Amino acid sequence: MGKWVYSFGDGKAEGQSSMRNLLGGKGANLAEMSNLGLPVPPGFTITTEVCTAYYDNAQTYPAELKAEVAAALEAVGKLTGRGFGDPKNPLLVSVRSGARASMPGMMDTVLNLGLNDVTVEALAEGAGDPRFAYDSYRRFITMYSNVVLGVEHHAFEEALEHYKDEKGVSLDTELGADDWKHLVGRYKAIVKAEHGSDFPQGAEDQLWGAIGAVFDSWMIPRAKKYRELNNIPESWGTAVNVQAMVFGNMGDTSATGVAFTRNPSTGERALYGEFLINAQGEDVVAGIRTPQDITEKARLEAKSDKPSMERAMPDSYAELVRIYGLLETHYRDMQDMEFTIESGKLWMLQTRNGKRTAKAALRIAVDLAAEGLITQEEAIGRIEPAALDQLLHPTIDPKAERKVIASGLPASPGAATGEIVFNSEDAEAARKAERKCILVRIETSPEDIHGMHASEGILTTRGGMTSHAAVVARGMGKPCVSGCGTVRVDYKAGTLSVAGTVLKAGDKITIDGSTGQVLLGEVAMLEPSLSGEFATLMGWADAVRTMKVRTNADTPTDARAARNFGAEGIGLCRTEHMFFEGDRIVAVREMILADDAEGRRSALAKILPYQRQDFAELFTIMSGLPVTIRLLDPPLHEFLPHTDEEVRDVATSMGVSEDKLRRRMTELHEFNPMLGFRGCRLAIAFPEIAEMQARAIFEAAVQAAEETGEPVTPEVMVPLVFTKMEFDIVKARIDAMAKAVSEESGSTIAYQVGTMIELPRAALRAGDIAETAEFFSFGTNDLTQTALGISRDDAATFLGAYTQKGILSADPFISIDQEGVGELVRIGVERGRAVRPDIKLGICGEHGGDPASIGFCQDVGLDYVSCSPYRVPIARLAAAQAALAARDTKKA
């Protein structure tokens, strides 16, 4: 028989922090804090294995669980001197979820469990405060009814607001004991009407209802969505934490709060957070009341007239400072802590590694290394590579005119412009229509997760720096302005009103999450500059990685951006992208319409100067770094017009008949162009195309070398080969052009010719191809399509179902299918190197910027990855982490 329940409290625990897979993050850290001797209310954790068993056995519990829970409850009662369900001296508990990975706001919580019509009187008598007791009871009815019984939260909120209107008050704190007692009656009537039965009075029934609700919440839509967005496996399950209640709503000597040991937005080493006097935990994060600052410095910066915790509760503040220092040193990372002060005594309810922005993560990692808490290599591992994307987004140009219409709290840095939407459904619709939007809400809740993901940024009228909107936005890397109290949102009318300005859905606003400003209309943005901690950490990363990081770039703008981000060359230049500009497209169409090779050569001669200049610019920008140029790849029909109107315009401008143009379009039409007349097949059928491009490359190399004084060694890539003979035919034309240009210019041209491995047969015959190919670049976009038989353009209709059902672990166009496509890459690497040991190997598909795929590239021994310019920093860090992981595996 396994153990299902682990107890903690009174300076000891049955668990510890290393048991997070079993106890969940919250349970493991509660146990650890207990073992450290910190003031933690006693309780117990029901393990994640119970959650797994619950779903494996038709939502039933293990037979031994009930007895283990009863024994653990009795132990808590002995530590607190109370009895669960005791009518005269009741033990009240909280019931919280706690998954292995932090899922803020995703899972349901119940506080004050154990209250009923009898125990509420005992609580009032024991505390000498009926108001506190009935306030706690009404909170319990609200939470339990919503979480367990399915009664909508707004039903209780409306009853409360109506009652406050009747009494002529605006704040909850203005209501007395009799008011809360009256509202308890109203709340129970709501439960009866909505649920069809009375609110449960038995403490044990309440407990098991809440435990079941936590396990059930693991599978609710918002939890599933969060797991999908954060790659959390469903199989992990959640634990349940049952803990003796401590009360922050027992008057002016009680409080509740959330604190970070460092600023989660900037990384500054300073206690950061919010608290509320005479409140319970949900009040802080729900945005129902505007919280107060913990430190006096923060209060002054916020220009708040409400006292800080440092001034209002100096003893508790001093204890919190002591504990935060102990916890950060112990965990060697920034901590996110929840605490309650009951009648002047501080209790710790949770600690966990705090979520933070990428900017803060960089500063914290570098600072912790400088402080000696972690090593430089550990600092490299502390940064999620994909999170660097947060640093690569625009900020508002300081020279731009700012029409500020409102100001709130700077909850998540960065800036965004978009049209106003008032709900998550409209946000998703806007994204599907490729329209940028700002989600505007009074306050967000976990149900808004999909809308927050779809939007460019979030604006709320309520809530603080640790509200749901703030925490989730920071985790997503999206700008957020919260607590913008001067803004009035009318969902029914679909309007946002502030200081006489009325905006409607669809109107554009800009939010600045770094200052908390809301601006009218679209505002000019600046590209980010990377320095400071970013440069320090990337320097450490570059020192340990073994793979080079190149970029996919077709334009000088992309190439310069990539160099600024640390690219070590170009791994893929798609020459066809250059053909669509200005007069070039006319010459390309002339070439396509030509009746013979002479006509094609005549048209290509017009394109040659453009191509030469394009390549010369890229070689110059890369200044001696390798540049891989792929010969023309897409089918020729992509360059022809498509609509009748375009056909008429093109025919007129080129001086050809519409009939000739249409005949050529018909000849080039393909049922499956992706597998049609493209790639090296074009170079074999029309060798003059490859000759023109090769000449442009080599002439550009000579020109750039003369102008910069740097050696230029172009890498010419032949696309879509599946036999050695195809490659050799095209390579012969390339070699002939290199010889011709060398003789004409009097220069020696160093170059390499290789191929893109993007067809399964090419991977299987890589040994043959490597006899003459000097490098391979794995084109995993097409290799994925051809290996899996999936069209990337059409896969969206079913890939979601495949990942949800576990058929595929991830979208194979985002993260490489290591078992299938990866096996083909592995075969290509092994067979290519067996024939040519020094062959250069890289990857240039979208996978070159995906951290998980980069780890695979390290495992199979590639020399470099190539990705889009704005993914280069991500790839540099991911490559460093992959190198460290490979080294550690080798040591083990």
Side-chain angles (χ1 to χ4, degrees):
M1 179 186 81
K3 182 175 175 62
W4 305 109
V5 176
Y6 287 73
S7 294
F8 57 83
D10 194 30
K12 57 183 183 296
E14 293 179 318
Q16 56 189 12
S17 61
S18 62
M19 298 169 68
R20 63 183 303 113
N21 290 2
L22 180 67
L23 303 179
K26 190 186 298 284
N29 286 329
L30 285 169
E32 190 75 2
M33 285 196 295
S34 294
N35 286 327
L36 289 171
L38 299 182
V40 176
F44 57 89
T45 300
I46 301 173
T47 70
T48 57
E49 291 179 348
V50 175
C51 185
T52 304
Y54 180 73
Y55 284 106
D56 285 347
N57 294 280
Q59 291 174 273
T60 58
Y61 298 116
E64 308 87 1
L65 182 63
K66 199 162 190 176
E68 288 193 35
V69 167
L73 262 177
E74 186 177 354
V76 174
K78 286 180 180 177
L79 289 174
T80 60
R82 300 177 180 274
F84 189 62
D86 188 326
K88 294 184 178 179
N89 190 23
L91 167 67
L92 304 183
V93 298
S94 63
V95 180
R96 292 183 173 91
S97 65
R100 185 189 310 186
S102 177
M103 296 174 63
M106 290 300 108
M107 311 292 284
D108 293 314
T109 295
V110 176
L111 303 179
N112 309 325
L113 191 143
L115 280 174
N116 55 33
D117 294 348
V118 175
T119 56
V120 69
E121 293 293 344
L123 181 64
E125 183 179 347
D129 188 349
R131 185 199 179 280
F132 147 70
Y134 277 96
D135 176 34
S136 299
Y137 192 15
R138 66 94 187 178
R139 291 170 183 270
F140 172 52
I141 293 172
T142 301
M143 299 176 80
Y144 191 92
S145 299
N146 178 240
V147 171
V148 181
L149 305 181
V151 180
E152 291 294 335
H153 189 270
H154 68 76
F156 302 104
E157 286 297 306
E158 287 175 4
L160 175 57
E161 292 302 318
H162 287 155
Y163 185 76
K164 286 194 291 188
D165 288 343
E166 291 171 15
K167 299 288 288 186
V169 301
S170 59
L171 300 176
D172 295 0
T173 50
E174 296 176 89
L175 298 177
D178 290 340
D179 296 313
W180 289 127
K181 191 169 186 178
H182 176 80
L183 278 165
V184 163
R186 287 196 184 184
Y187 282 15
K188 288 195 294 182
I190 291 170
V191 174
K192 178 79 170 180
E194 297 287 332
H195 185 59
S197 60
D198 291 327
F199 185 79
Q201 295 291 303
E204 191 164 328
D205 292 338
Q206 292 173 358
L207 177 64
W208 286 101
I211 291 170
V214 171
F215 286 137
D216 288 341
S217 73
W218 181 249
M219 299 300 288
I220 59 177
R222 70 172 186 259
K224 287 183 176 181
K225 184 69 174 179
Y226 189 92
R227 290 200 295 273
E228 176 188 332
L229 293 175
N230 292 276
N231 297 315
I232 297 172
E234 186 178 291
S235 59
W236 282 5
T238 182
V240 179
N241 297 288
V242 180
Q243 196 172 12
M245 280 295 304
V246 287
F247 298 95
N249 59 331
M250 288 187 71
D252 291 343
T253 60
S254 300
T256 189
V258 176
F260 295 82
T261 58
R262 301 188 187 220
N263 188 308
S265 289
T266 67
E268 179 188 2
R269 187 181 183 184
L271 189 61
Y272 170 99
E274 299 167 324
F275 83 117
L276 278 172
I277 293 174
N278 196 17
Q280 285 202 319
E282 76 272 16
D283 295 340
V284 178
V285 296
I288 296 167
R289 288 167 55 189
T290 300
Q292 297 159 239
D293 296 295
I294 286 183
T295 67
E296 187 64 10
K297 179 185 175 185
R299 184 194 71 80
L300 292 172
E301 289 176 353
K303 298 179 181 177
S304 172
D305 58 356
K306 296 181 179 180
S308 65
M309 180 179 169
E310 186 175 359
R311 285 290 177 86
M313 297 180 162
D315 292 343
S316 295
Y317 173 79
E319 175 69 350
L320 182 64
V321 170
R322 180 188 75 83
I323 289 172
Y324 107 66
L326 188 154
L327 287 174
E328 187 170 272
T329 301
H330 181 76
Y331 284 100
R332 302 189 311 134
D333 201 355
M334 183 263 274
Q335 294 298 291
D336 170 2
M337 308 172 295
E338 293 179 16
F339 62 90
T340 286
I341 301 165
E342 180 184 276
S343 301
K345 179 173 174 57
L346 179 74
W347 293 93
M348 299 303 298
L349 304 183
Q350 173 170 284
T351 192
R352 60 187 172 190
N353 291 342
K355 290 188 177 294
R356 64 208 74 177
T357 64
K359 178 181 178 181
L362 281 169
R363 179 170 177 179
I364 291 168
V366 171
D367 284 354
L368 288 175
E371 293 162 21
L373 283 179
I374 61 175
T375 65
Q376 290 182 6
E377 291 182 354
E378 285 177 307
I380 292 169
R382 289 285 176 92
I383 309 300
E384 178 63 39
L388 293 180
D389 207 25
Q390 294 179 23
L391 301 177
L392 311 178
H393 299 297
T395 54
I396 292 177
D397 186 342
K399 298 177 183 176
E401 182 183 357
R402 287 177 176 246
K403 295 179 181 177
V404 180
I405 56 174
S407 291
L409 298 172
S412 185
T417 293
E419 63 182 53
I420 294 169
V421 296
F422 291 108
N423 59 64
S424 293
E425 290 68 31
D426 288 349
E428 286 207 315
R431 183 179 66 170
K432 287 176 183 174
E434 298 185 350
R435 302 193 316 270
K436 294 182 177 181
C437 67
I438 303 293
L439 178 63
V440 180
R441 301 287 290 166
I442 294 172
E443 57 189 351
T444 63
S445 69
E447 283 82 2
D448 291 314
I449 187 76
H450 59 295
M452 297 175 75
H453 185 251
S455 66
E456 299 298 306
I458 301 98
L459 167 64
T460 68
T461 64
R462 294 182 190 165
M465 301 288 283
T466 52
S467 65
H468 177 268
V471 171
V472 174
R474 284 197 294 266
M476 289 182 173
K478 293 182 183 288
C480 176
V481 174
S482 65
C484 201
T486 59
V487 170
R488 293 288 176 267
V489 171
D490 186 331
Y491 291 142
K492 190 172 182 181
T495 59
L496 176 161
S497 306
V498 56
T501 299
V502 179
L503 301 175
K504 61 184 184 301
D507 289 342
K508 285 193 175 180
I509 59 172
T510 297
I511 62 170
D512 187 341
S514 299
T515 65
Q517 291 181 337
V518 182
L519 300 94
L520 189 64
E522 193 166 348
V523 182
M525 302 280 182
L526 284 181
E527 293 302 315
S529 60
L530 301 173
S531 58
E533 289 84 11
F534 176 87
T536 299
L537 189 91
M538 297 309 287
W540 296 345
D542 292 341
V544 299
R545 65 182 166 88
T546 56
M547 283 191 300
K548 298 290 186 182
V549 176
R550 300 192 193 182
T551 188
N552 302 337
D554 318 317
T555 68
T557 299
D558 284 348
R560 289 190 189 95
R563 280 300 307 273
N564 289 337
F565 289 140
E568 297 165 297
I570 292 176
L572 175 62
C573 171
R574 307 171 183 88
T575 55
E576 61 272 7
H577 289 183
M578 302 167 172
F579 284 5
F580 287 95
E581 295 182 18
D583 295 336
R584 307 177 191 200
I585 189 65
V586 177
V588 172
R589 286 167 174 166
E590 285 181 15
M591 182 267 294
I592 294 171
L593 293 172
D595 296 319
D596 52 30
E598 184 179 346
R600 285 190 292 275
R601 290 184 190 280
S602 176
L604 288 165
K606 299 177 183 178
I607 304 172
L608 174 63
Y610 295 119
Q611 286 266 275
R612 180 173 57 234
Q613 186 56 34
D614 290 334
F615 298 145
E617 280 193 74
L618 294 179
F619 291 142
T620 300
I621 292 166
M622 286 295 142
S623 188
L625 294 173
V627 176
T628 303
I629 299 173
R630 183 180 71 185
L631 299 182
L632 186 66
D633 182 38
L636 296 180
H637 68 78
E638 287 194 8
F639 300 98
L640 293 178
H642 300 290
T643 67
D644 290 342
E645 183 179 355
E646 288 174 338
V647 169
R648 284 193 297 273
D649 291 344
V650 170
T652 301
S653 66
M654 294 183 64
V656 299
S657 70
E658 289 186 34
D659 287 343
K660 181 173 183 178
L661 189 53
R662 291 185 190 278
R663 278 198 306 275
R664 190 61 174 139
M665 289 167 61
T666 301
E667 290 168 4
L668 292 175
H669 172 74
E670 295 177 302
F671 290 103
N672 192 347
M674 184 259 172
L675 298 177
F677 188 20
R678 54 168 287 218
C680 68
R681 299 159 197 174
L682 292 172
I684 290 171
F686 304 135
E688 53 273 12
I689 297 176
E691 289 172 359
M692 181 279 291
Q693 290 197 295
R695 174 173 283 277
I697 290 169
F698 297 131
E699 289 180 354
V702 172
Q703 177 184 326
E706 290 175 352
E707 292 177 357
T708 66
E710 296 285 347
V712 176
T713 305
E715 299 172 354
V716 186
M717 185 156 66
V718 182
L720 209 74
V721 304
F722 61 78
T723 71
K724 176 177 180 293
M725 184 176 290
E726 285 175 309
F727 178 78
D728 288 348
I729 290 171
V730 180
K731 185 176 185 295
R733 298 282 182 169
I734 296 168
D735 290 339
M737 281 297 105
K739 183 178 179 183
V741 172
S742 180
E743 291 173 353
E744 292 165 11
S745 65
S747 301
T748 301
I749 302 173
Y751 69 97
Q752 290 187 327
V753 184
T755 186
M756 185 179 281
I757 303 293
E758 50 193 325
L759 296 173
R761 192 183 192 278
L764 296 173
R765 304 306 301 168
D768 293 343
I769 297 170
E771 290 176 9
T772 47
E774 295 167 283
F775 68 87
F776 288 165
S777 181
F778 290 91
T780 50
N781 296 343
D782 278 357
L783 190 58
T784 297
Q785 292 193 96
T786 52
L788 301 184
I790 295 176
S791 165
R792 181 170 56 168
D793 297 329
D794 302 312
T797 55
F798 61 86
L799 273 185
Y802 267 54
T803 53
Q804 287 171 10
K805 294 179 184 296
I807 299 170
L808 291 169
S809 60
D811 183 333
F813 295 106
I814 295 175
S815 194
I816 195 167
D817 162 36
Q818 296 189 23
E819 293 180 351
V821 177
E823 183 68 13
L824 288 170
V825 173
R826 197 180 296 274
I827 289 170
V829 169
E830 291 171 354
R831 294 182 181 178
R833 281 214 172 110
V835 171
R836 186 185 290 268
D838 62 346
I839 191 168
K840 190 183 298 182
L841 301 172
I843 186 172
C844 62
E846 290 299 314
H847 300 112
D850 169 60
S853 303
I854 290 170
F856 167 79
C857 293
Q858 175 79 35
D859 291 342
V860 298
L862 298 191
D863 297 305
Y864 70 88
V865 298
S866 187
C867 57
S868 62
Y870 283 83
R871 303 289 290 181
V872 167
I874 295 170
R876 289 166 65 193
L877 181 57
Q881 292 178 353
L884 291 173
R887 188 193 66 186
D888 292 344
T889 300
K890 191 174 181 180
K891 284 181 180 178

